[in-house]
Amino acid sequence: MPPKKNAKKTPSLKTKQKALLKTSRPVVSKKVVSTTKIKDEDKESHKNTPYATLRGMKDVFGKEGRMFQRVYRVSESVARAYGFSYVETPIVEQTSLFVRSIGKGTDVVDKEMYTFDDKDGSKVCLRPEGTAPIARMYINQGMHTMPQPVKMWSWGSMFRHDRPQAGRYRMFHQFSCETLGEHSPVVDAELISVAYNTLRDLGIEASVRINSIGTPEDRENYLVELVGYLKSKRSYLSEESKKRLQKNPLRILDSKDEQDRAVIEDAPQIVDWLSEPSKKFFMSVLEYLDEVEIPYVLTPTLVRGLDYYTDTVFEFVEEGVPETQQGSLGGGGRYNGLVAQLGGQSTPAAGFSLGVERILLALKRKEEEARKNGTFVDTAEKQQVFFAQLGEQARKRALLLIERLRRAGIVVSHNLAKSSIKAQLELAHKVGATYTLILGQKEVQDGTIITRNMESGIQEIVDQKKIETVVKKLLGI
Ligand code: HAM
C-alpha cells in the first residue's frame, strides 16, 4: 500500500511499550476540520402523518439510497478482495443467544434489546448485533471442519432500543467481517486493514483507536485493582458510573462524563495486568499495523461495550471531528471465548463491524464541507442516455433495444408509458441525459434509430443493428 499522504507517524516499539505503560488518556488528534452540526434526521421522520415510521427508524431513498448502495458496493469489493465470503444469518434469533454472549450488565442486553414472546411462548429478539449469530452459525454448520480460518463478511440491519439522536438509530445497518479459527496477530491486523481501507476507499479518513483487554483471567486480576480504586473515588463518580460499579465496572472507563474522566485519568491501566502472551500478541498486532502504515492511537481506556472480547479491541473514529460530535464509525476485536461459550469447541476469532448510517453521516459532512470550499464534484450517477419512443410498434421494439443496450453495459432511462415525444424530451432534460435515442414508426420499419444530442439538438439516423457501438462511441466508453 502506498504511504498515506498525511499519515501520522506511528511510534517505535520502545515508544509503544512506554506508551502502553504510561498513557492514561487517548491521544486525540487536535486537527479539527469540521464542526458542522448534523441535524437529527429522526425528527424528520416524525411528521404528522397517519403512519409515521417508528422512532429511530427511517426510510432510505433518493440520494441517500444511492449513497447507501455505494457503501455496500465498496464494502463488498474490499471484503471479496481480502478473501471473505458472503454470509447471512436470520434477523430474529433466540434472546438467550445475545444474553449469553454480549452479557448481562451491558447496555445492549439490559436496556436495548427488542425482545418479545414468539407464538409458542419462547423468547426471541431482533438481533442487536451480528457476531454472536456468526459464532452460532459456525457451530451449527460444523464450520470447524472447513479449512481454517473461515473468513466471512455480511451486511444487514441491527436493532437496538436506544435513545435516538444523530447517528444513533433503533434500526441501523452494519458491514461486518469475521475471521474464525486462527489465533494470529496478523488476523487482527488484516481485519483492521480491511475496515480502514473500506473507509479510505469511500473517502473517509479514519483513525484507529486500539487497546488490549487481555484474557478473562488477566481481566479478573485487573478488576480487583480497578474496583478498589473506583470505590475509593466513589463520591466523585457520576450516578450512572456508581451503578456500573456494581454491574460492569470496566465500562466506567468508557464514560464520556467529565466528572468520571477526571477519576479515570488516574485509574490503574489494564495493559499493566496483561499476561506475557497477551502482551506479546498485542505488540505484534501493532507491529503489523506499522508495517501496513495504518496510524493508530493507543487508547488504554478503550474496553468496548460487549462482554465477549478478549485481547485486541479497536474502534474507528472520523479524523478531525470533535469527540463530542461523533460516535465511532465502527469497532471490533478478538473474541477467543465466544464459540466455546455458545457450546462449540474452543475457537479463536476476531472481527469488526462498520456502522453504515455513521458512514453516511461522515460522507454527508464531507460533502457539505466540499460545497462550502467550492471543491465539490457531483459524482451522482447521471443517466446519460434517454430512450424515447413514438407509437405502439416503437414501444414494443423499445424493450428489446433497451435490453440489448443493458447487456452491453449501457443503462438508458426511459418512460415507456408516455407517448408524447415532447413530454419524453422534457424528461430527458430533467434526468440530465446527454443523448436521447428516438424510435418512431418509420424507424421501426427502416431498422434505424435517431440519436439526438441534447445540447446542440443535432440528430443523426443510425442503423439499429449498430446501436450498442454507436452509443458507446457517443458516450466515449
Ligand atoms: P458495536 O461497537 O456495538 O460492535 O457496533 C459497531 C458499529 O455499529 C458502531 O461503531 C456504530 O458505527 C454502529 N452502531 C452501533 N449502534 C448504533 C446505533 N444505535 N445507530 C447507528 N449505528 C450504530 C458490534 O456490533 C460488534 N458486533 C462488532 C464486532 C464484529 N466485533 C467483532 N466482530
Side-chain angles (χ1 to χ4, degrees):
M1 196 186 72
K4 232 162 51 73
K5 220 171 86 201
N6 51 358
K8 241 183 278 162
K9 227 178 150 5
T10 43
S12 72
L13 196 61
K14 233 179 168 168
T15 328
K16 267 181 317 210
Q17 251 157 348
K18 255 177 132 180
L20 268 175
L21 296 172
K22 296 258 183 314
T23 321
S24 60
R25 213 204 304 220
V27 189
V28 182
S29 164
K30 293 265 183 317
K31 189 187 78 175
V32 174
V33 295
S34 166
T35 50
T36 319
K37 274 225 161 70
I38 298 296
K39 61 178 179 288
D40 185 347
E41 307 219 0
D42 181 54
K43 282 197 187 112
E44 283 181 15
S45 58
H46 279 85
K47 289 182 191 139
N48 203 11
T49 54
Y51 298 106
T53 50
L54 300 183
R55 221 165 107 72
M57 307 202 179
K58 60 187 201 140
D59 300 319
V60 177
F61 60 96
K63 188 173 173 188
E64 194 175 32
R66 284 197 296 275
M67 284 169 99
F68 191 89
Q69 284 194 300
R70 186 174 151 240
V71 178
Y72 180 89
R73 282 196 297 268
V74 170
S75 305
E76 179 187 30
S77 95
V78 181
R80 283 175 62 168
Y82 279 86
F84 290 81
S85 50
Y86 186 72
V87 295
E88 275 201 34
T89 61
I91 289 175
V92 185
E93 296 262 9
Q94 291 181 45
T95 302
S96 54
L97 170 68
F98 298 104
V99 176
R100 194 84 219 280
S101 53
I102 298 172
K104 282 194 178 128
T106 59
D107 283 350
V108 174
V109 163
D110 287 5
K111 302 179 195 163
E112 298 167 8
M113 295 261 278
Y114 272 92
T115 301
F116 53 96
D117 290 341
D118 206 350
K119 288 194 192 295
D120 63 1
S122 56
K123 289 253 178 281
V124 295
C125 73
L126 303 182
R127 62 181 176 199
E129 63 101 48
T131 308
I134 294 270
R136 177 201 52 66
M137 175 167 72
Y138 183 88
I139 301 166
N140 292 7
Q141 304 305 329
M143 288 182 169
H144 63 282
T145 60
M146 291 163 64
Q148 305 294 300
V150 181
K151 295 166 73 174
M152 299 177 259
W153 80 274
S154 61
W155 174 283
S157 41
M158 308 292 154
F159 302 82
R160 295 184 192 175
H161 201 281
D162 203 348
R163 196 169 50 81
Q165 52 183 263
R168 199 198 286 158
Y169 305 102
R170 290 183 175 172
M171 175 178 165
F172 58 98
H173 296 78
Q174 286 183 342
F175 157 56
S176 308
C177 287
E178 315 280 355
T179 301
L180 288 90
E182 183 74 63
H183 186 66
S184 166
V186 75
V187 167
D188 305 38
E190 182 187 55
L191 287 159
I192 292 171
S193 186
V194 170
Y196 180 83
N197 287 317
T198 304
L199 293 169
R200 206 180 65 152
D201 281 10
L202 286 163
I204 300 169
E205 221 182 293
S207 118
V208 185
R209 294 185 179 176
I210 190 164
N211 191 23
S212 172
I213 55 169
T215 62
E217 296 76 50
D218 298 344
R219 227 150 40 236
E220 225 166 86
N221 298 333
Y222 169 66
L223 272 174
V224 175
E225 188 75 13
L226 179 70
V227 170
Y229 168 80
L230 290 173
K231 276 190 173 157
S232 74
K233 308 277 177 198
R234 196 174 185 280
S235 56
Y236 300 106
L237 289 174
S238 66
E239 284 314 306
E240 184 63 26
S241 288
K242 277 181 192 149
K243 274 187 230 153
R244 281 197 170 135
L245 201 47
Q246 307 298 327
K247 287 206 297 190
N248 197 346
L250 210 55
R251 288 288 288 157
I252 296 177
L253 296 178
D254 244 1
S255 169
K256 302 275 181 288
D257 188 290
E258 250 177 58
Q259 224 176 309
D260 292 337
R261 299 293 331 156
V263 176
I264 294 160
E265 222 164 87
D266 295 326
Q269 293 183 5
I270 197 157
V271 284
D272 297 330
W273 266 260
L274 294 185
S275 52
E276 266 321 301
S278 278
K279 208 178 265 178
K280 216 170 133 213
F281 189 91
F282 188 40
M283 294 307 293
S284 187
V285 174
L286 299 180
E287 278 161 34
Y288 279 116
L289 292 181
D290 289 341
E291 206 56 44
V292 285
E293 297 180 343
I294 293 184
Y296 53 82
V297 180
L298 293 168
T299 311
T301 51
L302 179 69
V303 287
R304 309 260 308 128
L306 313 162
D307 272 1
Y308 51 63
Y309 290 114
T310 53
D311 287 309
T312 326
V313 286
F314 50 85
E315 273 183 5
F316 302 90
V317 292
E318 197 181 343
E319 269 286 332
V321 175
E323 224 179 333
T324 46
Q325 269 191 33
Q326 70 179 345
S328 59
L329 294 166
R334 187 153 273 285
Y335 48 96
N336 289 341
L338 183 57
V339 174
Q341 195 185 18
L342 296 177
Q345 60 189 44
S346 172
T347 308
F352 74 81
S353 304
L354 294 181
V356 178
E357 283 74 7
R358 300 267 168 95
I359 292 178
L360 295 183
L361 277 182
L363 292 176
K364 283 183 202 163
R365 207 188 319 252
K366 282 196 98 61
E367 187 181 312
E368 261 177 57
E369 258 161 40
R371 279 186 196 279
K372 266 191 217 151
N373 307 336
T375 52
F376 178 68
V377 183
D378 195 356
T379 50
E381 295 162 52
K382 273 204 174 146
Q383 296 282 8
Q384 298 193 56
V385 186
F386 191 89
F387 198 110
Q389 34 66 45
L390 206 61
E392 192 48 37
Q393 280 193 316
R395 186 175 293 152
K396 279 187 191 143
R397 178 69 58 83
L399 272 178
L400 187 79
L401 293 175
I402 288 168
E403 175 57 17
R404 260 178 54 194
L405 287 163
R406 187 192 68 80
R407 284 193 202 169
I410 305 155
V411 178
V412 291
S413 56
H414 53 270
N415 184 340
L416 297 180
K418 286 222 183 311
S419 43
S420 130
I421 190 74
K422 187 167 168 257
Q424 291 182 73
L425 285 178
E426 270 171 21
L427 210 56
H429 273 299
K430 237 185 228 165
V431 298
T434 39
Y435 285 90
T436 295
L437 306 174
I438 304 169
L439 187 72
Q441 204 78 347
K442 184 171 177 300
E443 286 73 33
V444 174
Q445 273 150 24
D446 293 356
T448 57
I449 190 161
I450 298 168
T451 64
R452 179 186 172 93
N453 182 318
M454 295 301 285
E455 211 178 292
S456 63
I458 295 172
Q459 299 195 163
E460 276 177 44
I461 299 169
V462 299
D463 188 349
Q464 269 179 32
K465 286 198 198 98
K466 295 184 185 152
I467 187 163
E468 295 96 330
T469 355
V470 171
V471 172
K472 278 190 174 171
K473 209 165 156 201
L474 289 175
L475 296 179
I477 52 177

